[in-house]
Amino acid sequence: MPKVKVKRTKPTLDMTPMVDLAFLLVTFFMLTTKFSPEEAVIVDTPSSISEIKLPEANVITITVDKNDRVFFGVDGKQTKEALLNKMAGKYGVSFSPAETETFSLLSNFGVPMNRLKSYLAMETDARKQYDKSSPGIPVDSTNNELADWILQTRLSNPKVVVAIKGDSDVSYETVQKVINTLQDRKVNRFNLITDMENKPKNL
């Protein structure tokens, strides 16, 4: 009796589940990724081997660039809106809802209060151009607006912690002014933002 030949079929692989999985992963990463906000000034921070990480929220960032200009930033839209209202009341300035909205979207800024209203009225490109030559927030003993920003932020959000992000070429005097300002406002614990340096290997 002759053998029955079994018809050979080529194996197939259904790629539909894998394509679905790929799209799910892409969608997941698109929805969960947080892009770092664009800062008004870029600084080259010194390196260290510290592994202490800043909290992901409720952080005041005081940035000092190589030209000794001081920039101020805090996260949280509601915190920024409450902060601007408090500063407006202290300095006798009024801000429109549009200006308040613009301020709540800034990552940081470096302008005195008497220029803040016109700064917020600028278009995005104009603000970026202005940031290159902006005077920074005053920290002089006779006019220390940084102290007011710190105080009003802490009143708006008592949970905030303070971090100083200084350029490696900044002058010691400017950093000392910032630290003195913090201490005058009873802020004796703060963080210094640095770049991570590779630890030396044990021999």
Side-chain angles (χ1 to χ4, degrees):
M1 184 175 178
K3 294 182 179 179
V4 178
K5 291 185 179 180
V6 179
K7 186 177 181 181
R8 292 185 178 182
T9 58
K10 293 182 179 180
T12 58
L13 180 62
D14 187 4
M15 297 292 292
T16 305
M18 294 186 68
V19 173
D20 291 342
L21 178 62
F23 276 109
L24 286 173
L25 288 173
V26 170
T27 305
F28 171 78
F29 288 120
M30 286 177 61
L31 295 176
T32 58
T33 300
K34 284 186 177 180
F35 294 99
S36 57
E38 188 173 355
E39 298 184 357
V41 64
I42 297 178
V43 298
D44 181 19
T45 54
S47 58
S48 74
I49 58 173
S50 174
E51 295 183 354
I52 300 174
K53 293 184 178 180
L54 281 175
E56 294 188 5
N58 302 320
V59 180
I60 293 174
T61 305
I62 301 171
T63 306
V64 188
D65 74 351
K66 62 183 178 180
N67 297 319
D68 297 330
R69 299 181 302 164
V70 177
F71 289 75
F72 182 89
V74 64
D75 58 352
K77 185 174 181 180
Q78 292 180 344
T79 299
K80 292 177 188 177
E81 291 175 352
L83 169 61
L84 187 63
N85 289 332
K86 289 182 182 295
M87 289 294 287
K90 180 174 177 59
Y91 284 84
V93 183
S94 61
F95 293 96
S96 67
E99 291 168 340
T100 303
E101 177 70 16
T102 300
F103 181 82
S104 70
L105 299 176
L106 296 178
S107 58
N108 61 0
F109 61 95
V111 294
M113 273 300 295
N114 59 4
R115 301 189 192 180
L116 183 58
K117 191 173 179 66
S118 59
Y119 179 75
L120 296 175
M122 295 178 183
E123 296 293 333
T124 303
D125 292 338
R127 275 200 305 272
K128 289 180 181 179
Q129 191 65 28
Y130 181 81
D131 287 334
K132 296 178 181 179
S133 58
S134 63
I137 296 175
V139 291
D140 297 326
S141 57
T142 56
N143 181 23
N144 195 333
E145 292 184 8
L146 178 63
D148 293 329
W149 284 108
I150 294 169
L151 174 62
Q152 299 303 329
T153 304
R154 296 181 75 198
L155 292 175
S156 302
N157 184 358
K159 297 179 181 179
V160 292
V161 297
V162 179
I164 300 175
K165 184 177 181 180
D167 194 276
S168 56
D169 293 329
V170 68
S171 68
Y172 170 80
E173 290 77 10
T174 304
V175 175
Q176 189 61 52
K177 286 180 182 179
V178 172
I179 293 175
N180 290 341
T181 299
L182 292 173
Q183 292 177 337
D184 290 342
R185 292 299 176 185
K186 309 300 182 187
V187 181
N188 294 312
R189 296 187 63 183
F190 51 86
N191 301 277
L192 296 175
I193 299 177
T194 58
D195 284 334
M196 191 65 184
E197 184 179 274
N198 292 331
K199 287 186 175 180
K201 294 181 180 179
N202 295 326
L203 298 176

